[in-house]
Amino acid sequence: MRSFWVLIVLASVCGCASETAVLLGDTRQKINPALVEIYHQPPDRHYELIAAIAAPPNLPVAEQHAALRRQAGKLGANGVLVGPVGATGYASGTAEHEAHAIFVEKFVEIIY
């Protein structure tokens, strides 16, 4: 019976460790992960850092991006700025699976 509880605890700990987020700014209302854009370099428009996020490194890139989109959407971010970018400070670390959840200002041009 004791081994059963050990397995339950290990499963819950391992499940939580697969995706991480460290808040760096204010969160917003949750959005659909399908609406979250992936950026490989800083966007031209003004953006706010929301959190440093990471996905499991052993996944294919497409699955890493899906995990990053899910995390960003939960935080209200509409973009994910993925690394590596080195000393510029835009992404945390040097691996593709490490990134920042960002909120990019969207401007709508009104033509009269």
Side-chain angles (χ1 to χ4, degrees):
M1 186 65 171
R2 183 170 188 254
S3 61
F4 172 76
W5 289 110
V6 170
L7 287 174
I8 295 296
V9 169
L10 285 175
S12 65
V13 169
C14 292
C16 295
S18 64
E19 296 180 355
T20 60
V22 177
L23 289 180
L24 302 172
D26 296 329
T27 59
R28 297 172 179 264
Q29 185 176 1
K30 293 180 184 180
I31 65 169
N32 184 338
L35 301 175
V36 176
E37 293 184 47
I38 299 290
Y39 295 90
H40 293 279
Q41 56 187 337
D44 327 2
R45 298 179 301 273
H46 173 73
Y47 65 94
E48 299 172 23
L49 288 175
I50 294 178
I53 58 177
N58 57 338
L59 295 176
V61 172
E63 291 180 34
Q64 289 178 10
H65 286 183
L68 293 170
R69 281 187 174 105
R70 280 192 305 274
Q71 283 187 280
K74 288 178 187 176
L75 299 169
N78 62 0
V80 173
L81 181 55
V82 295
V85 292
T88 59
Y90 290 113
S92 59
T94 58
E96 180 71 19
H97 64 277
E98 297 181 8
H100 278 114
I102 59 175
F103 183 81
V104 181
E105 298 293 331
K106 302 287 183 174
F107 296 103
V108 178
E109 185 176 344
I110 301 174
I111 301 174
Y112 292 98

